[in-house]
């Protein structure tokens, strides 16, 4: 009995000691396993102060900024060069388009001199219109002339500008007669002579129109003749340079006409109204009737004297 009890106790002690050793080993392995595993999975990073990090990154950032700025400057410079090259190319195209290098010098100089009277009368009209407007606002006196003097000179310029325009139109039509006589580009007969006949036929009746209508009619006539001359140059019936030559001269004359009309419009309600074509025709008919009555009265007086 005692033997059995002692044996049982020894067995229990052995079991308890083995369980305690197993528990200690399990606890020890669980405690140290997690730190070792996490350390193995995530190795420790070297720590550094913020100032050292900024010092390490600053050269790289500065280099990147300098590189980006240099690249942007180079691209911007290339864009400016390309833009300037494009502008210069377009300017060269415009210069070549409106070039008068092929025009004979004599024709160029005489043509430019021929538009000077037209430009001068136009500028004078604009200035006198300014004088009339200033005199109307000041009560009678302008900058250099009085309102009445400026209006009188303005009416004197009207027939000069319209008459000179009719002369230019007639001359432009006569050029085609000369080209036909010279046989330039061949013989075209009445087709070419028609321009020389049509130009004065349209130009000279404008002298009877009111001033504004006369200028508008001549502007349309200049435009039509330029179109006809451009077609003639394109078809070989006139020199190749004649189209651009006529364009420049027509542009100057057209701009002068527009300036005159604008100046006249500024004083349209200030100056005295001009006689219309109806008034002129009625005055002509009245004068003719009066002359007939006077002639009839003279015949009656002569007949009465003879009878006595």
């Amino acid at each position: 009995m005692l033997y059995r009890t002692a044996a049982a106790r020894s067995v229990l002690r052995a079991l308890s000691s083995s369980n305690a050793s197993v528990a200690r080993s399990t606890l020890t392995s669980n405690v140290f396993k997690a730190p070792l595993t996490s350390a193995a999975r995530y190795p420790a990073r070297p720590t550094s102060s913020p100032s050292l990090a900024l010092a390490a990154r600053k050269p790289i950032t500065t280099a990147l900024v300098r590189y980006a700025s240099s690249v942007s400057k180079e691209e911007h410079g290339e864009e400016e060069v390309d833009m300037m090259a494009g502008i210069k190319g377009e300017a060269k195209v415009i210069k070549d388009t409106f070039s008068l290098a092929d025009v004979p010098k004599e024709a160029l100089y005489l043509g430019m001199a021929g538009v000077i009277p037209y430009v001068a009368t136009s500028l004078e009209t604009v200035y006198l219109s300014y004088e009339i407007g200033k005199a109307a606002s000041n009560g009678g006196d302008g900058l250099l002339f009085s309102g009445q003097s400026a209006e009188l000179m303005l009416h004197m310029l009207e027939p000069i500008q319209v008459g000179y325009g009719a002369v230019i139109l007639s001359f432009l039509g006569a050029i085609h007669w000369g080209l036909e006589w010279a046989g330039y580009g061949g013989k075209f007969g009445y087709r070419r002579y028609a321009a020389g006949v049509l130009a004065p036929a349209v130009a000279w009746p404008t002298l009877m129109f009111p001033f504004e209508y006369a200028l508008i009619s001549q502007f349309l006539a200049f435009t039509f003749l330029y179109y006809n001359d451009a077609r003639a140059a394109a078809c070989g019936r006139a020199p190749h340079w004649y189209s651009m030559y006529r364009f420049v001269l027509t542009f100057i004359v057209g701009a002068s006409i527009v300036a005159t009309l604008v100046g006249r419009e500024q004083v349209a309600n200030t100056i005295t109204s001009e006689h219309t074509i109806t008034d002129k025709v009625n005055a002509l008919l009245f004068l003719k009737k009066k002359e007939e009555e006077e002639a009839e009265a003279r015949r009656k007086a002569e007949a009465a004297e003879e009878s006595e």
Side-chain angles (χ1 to χ4, degrees):
M1 184 69 180
L2 293 172
Y3 176 75
R4 289 180 181 178
T5 303
R9 289 177 179 175
S10 62
V11 170
L12 291 173
R13 288 174 183 172
L15 290 173
S16 61
S17 63
S18 63
N19 290 333
S21 62
V22 170
R24 284 195 299 269
S25 63
T26 303
L27 179 61
T28 304
S29 63
N30 290 334
V31 170
F32 291 101
K33 186 176 181 180
L36 290 175
T37 304
S38 60
R41 290 181 181 178
Y42 305 101
R45 297 178 181 176
T47 59
S48 60
S49 63
S51 61
L52 293 177
L54 291 175
R57 294 175 184 174
K58 186 175 181 181
I60 299 176
T61 306
T62 305
L64 290 174
V65 171
R66 289 178 179 175
Y67 173 75
S69 62
S70 63
V71 170
S72 63
K73 288 180 180 179
E74 291 177 358
E75 293 178 353
H76 186 65
E78 291 178 357
E79 291 179 358
E80 288 183 352
V81 171
D82 294 338
M83 185 180 298
M84 292 302 296
I87 293 174
K88 290 180 179 179
E90 293 176 358
K92 186 176 183 302
V93 171
I94 295 174
K95 182 179 178 181
D96 294 339
T97 302
F98 295 97
S99 177
L100 299 175
D102 296 335
V103 180
K105 299 302 181 182
E106 297 82 359
L108 180 61
Y109 296 154
L110 291 175
M112 291 298 178
V115 298
I116 290 177
Y118 213 94
V119 175
T121 54
S122 178
L123 295 177
E124 187 68 18
T125 300
V126 173
Y127 176 72
L128 291 176
S129 300
Y130 168 76
E131 286 281 355
I132 294 172
K134 190 174 182 61
S137 61
N138 293 339
D141 293 330
L143 185 63
L144 296 177
F145 306 104
S146 64
Q148 294 180 352
S149 299
E151 184 175 350
L152 179 60
M153 287 188 288
L154 184 65
H155 287 305
M156 290 175 61
L157 285 175
E158 293 172 358
I160 295 175
Q161 187 169 7
V162 176
Y164 191 72
V167 171
I168 294 177
L169 287 171
S170 301
F171 177 78
L172 293 176
I175 289 177
H176 292 275
W177 283 49
L179 294 173
E180 179 65 21
W181 290 344
Y184 192 94
K187 294 291 185 178
F188 297 92
Y190 289 109
R191 289 178 55 192
R192 184 176 271 172
Y193 285 125
V197 174
L198 185 62
V202 173
W204 288 104
T206 59
L207 297 177
M208 300 178 61
F209 295 170
F211 184 65
E212 289 81 3
Y213 295 104
L215 288 181
I216 294 173
S217 301
Q218 290 188 2
F219 180 84
L220 296 176
F222 277 114
T223 305
F224 173 76
L225 282 179
Y226 164 70
Y227 171 74
N228 183 64
D229 293 342
R231 286 190 58 188
C235 297
R237 299 196 304 268
H240 67 280
W241 49 263
Y242 189 61
S243 175
M244 184 53 58
Y245 175 71
R246 283 282 289 108
F247 173 79
V248 173
L249 297 181
T250 304
F251 178 81
I252 296 174
V253 172
S256 301
I257 292 176
V258 172
T260 301
L261 292 174
V262 171
R264 293 275 302 191
E265 183 64 24
Q266 300 299 322
V267 294
N269 299 325
T270 305
I271 60 176
T272 57
S273 60
E274 186 186 2
H275 296 293
T276 62
I277 186 172
T278 304
D279 296 335
K280 293 178 181 179
V281 171
N282 291 333
L284 181 62
L285 294 176
F286 175 78
L287 181 61
K288 183 178 180 182
K289 183 178 180 180
K290 186 177 180 181
E291 290 177 351
E292 291 177 353
E293 291 176 354
E294 291 177 354
E296 184 67 21
R298 283 196 301 269
R299 283 197 300 269
K300 289 181 179 180
E302 291 176 356
E305 290 178 358
E306 291 178 357
S307 62
E308 292 177 356

